[in-house]
Amino acid sequence: MAGAAVGDVTELGRYAVRLATGAAELVRSHPAGRSRIATKSTGTDLVTEVDRASERWLVEQITSDRPGDAVLGEEGGERTGTTGVRWVVDPIDGTVNFVLGIPAYAVSVAAEVAGAVVAGAVCNPVTGEVFHAVRGGGAFLGATRLGGPRDVALERAVIGTGFGYDAAMRERQGVVAAQVLPRVGDLRRIGSAALDLCAVAAGRLDGYFEAGLNPWDRAAGELIAQEAGCVVIGLRGGAPGPALVVASGTGLAPALTALLDALGADRVLA
């Protein structure tokens, strides 16, 4: 594995799946009810000893198998590299769900080459589902190729969203969500950005938007949605980023982004 060429995105994709499924197995073996819980940026931003153990395992695997690669992890597992490959990892995306026993959380692993995400995998430890993609190779749930959501009008679309940990930001996001709700079929708040993006790829949501996401929240999921044929963008023709990520089918994208633009959905950050 250490000798794999940087440009071999297929091998990077296989390795991303191995990492995500291995860390998910570790998470599954440590019930949240027995885990010590701490807070980070706010009282609602939780981290458990299982988050940290999962990230430690991921970093140790990458360091052993691909010692020249860089790593960026949510819980501080960051190191520089020399190969041009960087692994962006979220050891548990949806920690609050994990703590509460809600079966919607995931391990997310993405590989960047020269700053562009080229491979990603997202594994739900509870269901065992593994979403994965490589750039230019399509997106899959296990062995099943994903084709994105149905073609539906905005007023019938089921849209996912999420909220930040900062109370003031959450209030602004709530105002936007309240104005979106009467214009769409319904809203869903699942609690894991990685799974939300994969849900759009798999046609379980018609669209999704959220502000304030970090690279580890979205790197793998964005690629999976894009490779399933979805539009993943910011507003006013911009790229997805911390200000806003919007994902949907191609037919829904113009109406959804126009609505979010009119509501200032990308201006909720403090």
Side-chain angles (χ1 to χ4, degrees):
M1 184 65 210
V6 168
D8 189 354
V9 296
T10 300
E11 187 58 30
L12 293 175
R14 291 194 192 104
Y15 191 54
V17 169
R18 282 175 51 198
L19 290 171
T21 55
E25 184 177 346
L26 183 152
V27 172
R28 190 164 48 245
S29 69
H30 291 79
R34 303 176 192 172
S35 176
R36 288 192 297 275
I37 300 169
T39 59
K40 297 189 290 185
S41 60
T42 73
T44 57
D45 186 5
L46 304 183
V47 61
T48 72
E49 61 184 353
V50 182
D51 291 81
R52 290 169 175 152
S54 175
E55 183 160 309
R56 251 189 333 266
W57 183 89
L58 287 163
V59 173
E60 287 170 358
Q61 292 298 307
I62 296 166
T63 301
S64 174
D65 295 337
R66 298 183 58 92
D69 291 357
V71 180
L72 175 65
E74 179 179 13
E75 307 308 334
E78 184 172 4
R79 69 183 177 90
T80 58
T82 59
T83 64
V85 176
R86 183 173 76 159
W87 296 92
V88 182
V89 303
D90 194 334
I92 303 179
D93 185 59
T95 297
V96 174
N97 286 350
F98 171 66
V99 168
L100 295 174
I102 299 170
Y105 50 90
V107 176
S108 176
V109 177
E112 295 177 342
V113 174
V117 178
V118 298
V122 174
C123 181
N124 182 326
V126 181
T127 65
E129 291 183 319
V130 183
F131 300 87
H132 56 99
V134 297
R135 180 73 62 190
F140 297 83
L141 170 53
T144 302
R145 188 160 189 148
L146 301 178
R150 59 188 177 160
D151 186 8
V152 64
L154 182 66
E155 59 268 22
R156 293 180 50 224
V158 177
I159 306 297
T161 192
F163 305 105
Y165 294 114
D166 177 77
M169 175 182 168
R170 210 163 46 240
E171 181 179 11
R172 292 188 292 271
Q173 289 175 307
V175 170
V176 171
Q179 295 176 87
V180 169
L181 184 55
R183 300 286 301 276
V184 301
D186 208 345
L187 282 179
R188 294 288 183 272
R189 198 278 201 250
I190 293 169
S192 165
L195 289 180
D196 283 330
L197 288 160
C198 291
V200 178
R204 298 173 181 176
L205 289 173
D206 296 313
Y208 163 74
F209 70 96
E210 187 167 352
L213 295 180
N214 294 299
W216 48 79
D217 299 316
R218 60 189 180 87
E222 281 184 7
L223 177 67
I224 291 164
Q226 290 166 345
E227 287 297 320
C230 303
V231 176
V232 184
I233 52 175
L235 296 185
R236 295 173 292 282
L244 197 69
V245 174
V246 185
S248 73
T250 55
L252 181 62
L256 179 58
T257 54
L259 173 61
L260 295 172
D261 187 8
L263 299 176
D266 62 344
R267 295 190 289 274
V268 300
L269 300 181

